Amino acid sequence: MTAGYDPHAFEPFAVTVDLAVFTVRAGALHVLLIRRGQEPYAGAWALPGGFVLPRESAETAARRELAEETGLAPGVVAALHLEQLRTYSDPDRDPRMRVVSVAFTALVPDMPEPAAGGGGDADRARWVPVTEAAAPASGAAPVPASAPGTASASGAAPDLAAGCGLAFDHAVILADARERVGSKLEYTCLASAFCPPEFTLGELQAVYETVWDTALDRPNFRRKVLATPGFVEAVPGAARLTGGRGKPAALYRPGPATTLHPPLLRPSEGPTR
């Protein structure tokens, strides 16, 4: 121990991690949520996450908690693109004690439902449309659900559909993460993380339109993507039927670039999808 330093002079607090994991399913942006099986907010929906153990880093804890609470295979979790979002440190964000949370975002291609039973302090995990996971319009604190239930026709949990919102300050984290993802798509090649290993330019455009909630001009989008060095690479001889009457669409894979020059900026004004 460093001479003159008294650790008891400072009130102890905990460090947690929370994850906003996004994917695109059926043309809509989805986020991975867990239903809490323990207090506080037992029965409420929340972002996956948990406490950082004494001898692990925040990123290690994030991957461990994601695997534990969702049942996703450790190898799948280890391969995710995980990016640190920001730190949330409001003194009253957790009713148990002072808790500082390091939030991460993860971008994944479309995946099956996680393990139905959840794990850790979660009793269920599922993909939910981001529009259904929004906080109540009043801005009030989320109300824990009194009883578990099945998903609504929209794919959301019944308590979310009723406007109960997410536990803790997770609605704020979710909003910040979605904005980060939207901004990152302008300057980086992260959009390909939402696509299968080989994809059409139409599938790539659908990612941008879904995350930005904006319709894009197809020829203009194609021109910008193909003119950006290293963004995508054509798969020689590969093509895929896309449901139309035209010829099969060419397939592409992510190129070596990590940033876009010039950036692919969101339209300042334009029709929503």
Side-chain angles (χ1 to χ4, degrees):
M1 182 181 298
T2 304
Y5 173 71
D6 179 12
H8 301 290
F10 302 93
E11 182 177 351
F13 64 92
V15 178
T16 61
V17 290
D18 291 301
L19 295 101
V21 183
F22 294 105
T23 195
V24 175
R25 311 184 96 203
L29 187 65
H30 282 61
V31 63
L32 186 59
L33 298 182
I34 58 98
R35 189 172 60 195
R36 291 186 54 79
Q38 301 176 9
E39 294 291 353
Y41 299 108
W45 291 83
L47 298 174
F51 288 92
V52 179
L53 300 179
R55 302 299 300 175
E56 69 179 354
S57 68
E59 182 170 337
T60 298
R63 296 186 187 278
R64 173 182 56 78
E65 286 287 344
L66 185 60
E68 289 178 358
E69 293 190 339
T70 66
L72 296 175
V76 173
V77 173
L80 295 182
H81 173 83
L82 203 60
E83 179 180 349
Q84 190 170 138
L85 176 62
R86 58 168 291 189
T87 300
Y88 296 81
S89 58
D90 187 277
D92 299 318
R93 63 177 303 277
D94 192 309
R96 294 168 291 190
M97 62 180 296
R98 179 72 191 274
V99 175
V100 174
S101 184
V102 181
F104 293 84
T105 61
L107 311 179
V108 296
D110 191 21
M111 299 175 67
E113 289 290 333
D121 60 1
D123 67 11
R124 190 176 182 185
R126 67 176 294 116
W127 293 104
V128 175
V130 168
T131 54
E132 301 287 356
S138 63
V143 179
S146 58
T150 58
S152 67
S154 67
D159 43 327
L160 287 174
C164 295
L166 300 177
F168 304 105
D169 55 356
H170 289 185
V172 175
I173 298 175
L174 176 59
D176 290 345
R178 184 177 186 183
E179 176 59 30
R180 169 70 68 85
V181 169
S183 297
K184 281 289 183 180
L185 293 192
E186 296 181 329
Y187 299 96
T188 75
C189 303
L190 292 181
S192 61
F194 287 100
C195 296
E198 296 181 354
F199 50 86
T200 67
L201 293 184
E203 289 171 332
L204 183 64
Q205 179 174 335
V207 173
Y208 280 91
E209 292 181 331
T210 297
V211 176
W212 290 348
D213 194 27
T214 300
L216 301 176
D217 178 72
R218 182 175 178 273
N220 191 41
F221 178 83
R222 178 184 177 87
R223 176 182 57 80
K224 289 182 177 180
V225 169
L226 295 181
T228 303
F231 188 5
V232 298
E233 295 178 341
V235 179
R240 179 188 301 158
L241 291 172
T242 58
R245 294 185 177 181
K247 64 181 181 179
L251 294 182
Y252 296 83
R253 63 170 66 98
T258 57
T259 57
L260 300 180
H261 299 289
L264 189 62
L265 300 178
R266 277 177 280 191
S268 57
E269 293 183 3
T272 58
R273 300 191 317 135

